[in-house]
């Protein structure tokens, strides 16, 4: 296993601090220039600022707080639907790379028995895009590849679900060339963050 499990409840204050002290999957699109709502400099400012206090309210870098909160509320129902669909027992889990502890991911679902990994989306816009095109929006590429980089998995399921609609399931393969470039960019970025914080650089 390429990763260790971190026992934090997603949304808790400890989870927020853990996310702040590393690079998470949702940070990856910004660093790869894929996130139209967040640029690398904004992410740098966030990582070098004091860690956030309190619990996560559902706000995100690519959507309004209300839409993010709705997606968070729907996620457990979507995961149950996914598990029934693929006959798995995926659970939400926080993990970090053993070789690169700063590379972290809050997984929507992972099933060790079937080696299935899933990223769940419950938004109207992503549903419209994926249902119509059968593809993943480009601004999620880094997020998906980052999760495979941390876990070592060869593929990840992109599962889009909304109540009363047909679910969309897209299997995304691992891209080793992309992951290598992404990891190098993340390591360079994290060294800059550590320098700005006055901390020791990566070995």
């Amino acid at each position: 296993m390429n990763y260790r499990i971190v026992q934090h409840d997603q949304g808790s204050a400890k989870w927020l601090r853990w996310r702040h002290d590393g690079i998470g999957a949702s940070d990856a699109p910004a660093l790869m220039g894929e996130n139209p709502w967040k640029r690398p400099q904004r992410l740098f400012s966030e990582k070098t600022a004091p860690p956030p206090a309190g619990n996560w309210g559902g706000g995100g870098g690519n959507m309004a707080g209300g839409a993010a909160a709705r997606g968070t509320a729907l996620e457990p129902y979507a995961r149950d639907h996914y598990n029934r669909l693929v006959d798995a027992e995926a659970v939400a889990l926080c993990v970090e790379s053993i070789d690169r502890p700063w590379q972290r991911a809050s997984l929507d679902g992972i099933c060790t028995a079937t080696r299935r990994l899933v990223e769940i989306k419950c938004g109207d816009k992503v549903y419209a895009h994926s249902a119509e095109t059968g593809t993943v929006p480009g601004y999620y590429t880094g997020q998906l590849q980052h999760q495979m980089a941390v876990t070592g998995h060869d593929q990840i399921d992109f599962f889009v679900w909304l109540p009363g609609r047909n679910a969309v399931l897209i299997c995304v393969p691992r891209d080793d060339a992309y992951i290598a470039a992404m990891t190098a960019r993340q390591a360079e970025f994290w060294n800059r963050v550590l320098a700005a914080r006055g901390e020791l650089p990566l070995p």
Side-chain angles (χ1 to χ4, degrees):
M1 191 163 65
N2 301 335
Y3 61 88
R4 64 172 61 91
I5 297 171
V6 179
Q7 299 292 349
H8 292 324
D9 292 331
Q10 295 191 29
S12 68
K14 287 184 177 180
W15 174 77
L16 281 172
R17 180 59 190 259
W18 176 73
R19 279 169 46 102
H20 182 262
D21 288 339
I23 299 176
S26 59
D27 298 327
L31 287 178
M32 297 302 286
E34 298 161 355
N35 188 339
W37 302 279
K38 183 183 290 188
R39 299 302 179 193
Q41 187 54 43
R42 180 180 162 191
L43 183 64
F44 182 82
S45 297
E46 292 174 357
K47 295 295 184 182
T48 54
N55 291 334
W56 186 59
N62 62 350
M63 60 181 75
R70 175 175 176 251
T72 300
L74 288 174
E75 184 180 306
Y77 302 100
R79 185 164 42 248
D80 287 345
H81 192 90
Y82 168 82
N83 281 333
R84 291 194 301 270
L85 184 66
V86 303
D87 192 22
E89 295 182 5
V91 296
L93 208 60
C94 294
V95 298
E96 63 185 28
S97 168
I98 291 174
D99 295 331
R100 302 173 298 279
W102 48 268
Q103 197 175 52
R104 303 170 174 185
S106 301
L107 306 175
D108 289 342
I110 185 169
C111 179
T112 54
T114 60
R115 281 194 58 82
R116 294 197 84 117
L117 185 62
V118 60
E119 172 64 25
I120 296 169
K121 301 296 181 186
C122 299
D124 291 308
K125 290 185 178 179
V126 63
Y127 182 90
H129 173 96
S130 296
E132 180 179 348
T133 67
T135 64
V136 176
Y139 46 82
Y140 290 127
T141 300
Q143 183 181 26
L144 301 180
Q145 294 297 328
H146 180 100
Q147 292 183 48
M148 287 184 278
V150 174
T151 61
H153 278 55
D154 293 328
Q155 60 186 34
I156 184 171
D157 291 332
F158 187 78
F159 187 68
V160 190
W161 181 84
L162 286 171
R165 306 190 198 180
N166 292 327
V168 180
L169 177 60
I170 302 169
C171 183
V172 178
R174 180 185 182 94
D175 185 334
D176 284 321
Y178 180 102
I179 287 175
M182 177 187 68
T183 299
R185 188 174 299 186
Q186 289 179 348
E188 186 275 333
F189 173 85
W190 195 243
N191 265 330
R192 289 198 293 114
V193 169
L194 293 177
R197 290 181 176 184
E199 300 177 23
L200 293 175
L202 301 174

